[in-house]
Amino acid sequence: MPATTPKIVCFSCSFGWGYLGERDALGARIDHWLPVACSGKVDATHVLRAFQRGADGVLILGCPEGECHFQDGNYQTKKKVALLQRVLAAHGVEPGRLQMVLGVDPEGSRAVAAVDALARELRALGPVAVRAPLDGTIAPGP
């Protein structure tokens, strides 16, 4: 059985991860790469919508802890990710499909490694098997 290429959506802070030297390598690995002004600008609805639209995984790249250009955006997002992982689990989606990496990566090598690691995990998990919609509605019964 051939290995499938998981669909990954990546939000990256434009300060710590925005000037990546390996853009071509990342573009080949990520379906949707969305630079944001700050990881704190990634709303819960953005993450849930990515899964609703068929993403197998979501990766958020933020500045190092304590070094956010917008004071505490990465700290707030770290808390948001923990809560969203619980929401995903409640809907039958493995929490590991949503990950956050903090750091700085001007050359792009850490970003490529983070995407590759997530892709390996997603291939091991297989396709998303959502048991309930992620929009707060009740799924229809059998």
Side-chain angles (χ1 to χ4, degrees):
M1 183 168 154
T4 60
T5 302
K7 295 176 186 168
I8 298 174
V9 173
C10 179
F11 297 94
S12 62
C13 171
S14 61
F15 286 98
W17 302 81
Y19 304 102
L20 299 174
E22 295 295 327
R23 287 183 186 268
D24 292 337
L26 280 171
R29 291 169 167 82
I30 299 172
D31 292 284
H32 298 285
W33 179 21
L34 306 162
V36 292
C38 173
S39 62
K41 300 296 182 189
V42 178
D43 192 71
T45 58
H46 300 137
V47 173
L48 295 177
R49 192 170 298 127
F51 283 108
Q52 285 174 324
R53 293 184 176 169
D56 294 307
V58 174
L59 178 63
I60 301 172
L61 304 173
C63 289
E65 203 158 342
E67 296 183 29
C68 178
H69 285 75
F70 292 91
Q71 293 183 329
D72 64 350
N74 55 1
Y75 175 72
Q76 296 300 326
T77 301
K78 195 172 171 183
K79 293 190 311 185
K80 200 179 309 179
V81 165
L83 290 171
L84 280 168
Q85 287 173 328
R86 292 177 62 190
V87 169
L88 291 171
H91 288 280
V93 178
E94 297 88 350
R97 292 181 182 275
L98 170 60
Q99 296 183 11
M100 183 173 187
V101 176
L102 299 178
V104 175
D105 187 26
E107 292 82 33
S109 58
R110 287 191 62 215
V112 170
V115 169
D116 286 347
L118 178 57
R120 279 191 302 276
E121 289 181 44
L122 295 174
R123 277 192 293 276
L125 290 172
V128 176
V130 178
R131 294 184 212 140
L134 297 173
D135 61 2
T137 62
I138 304 298

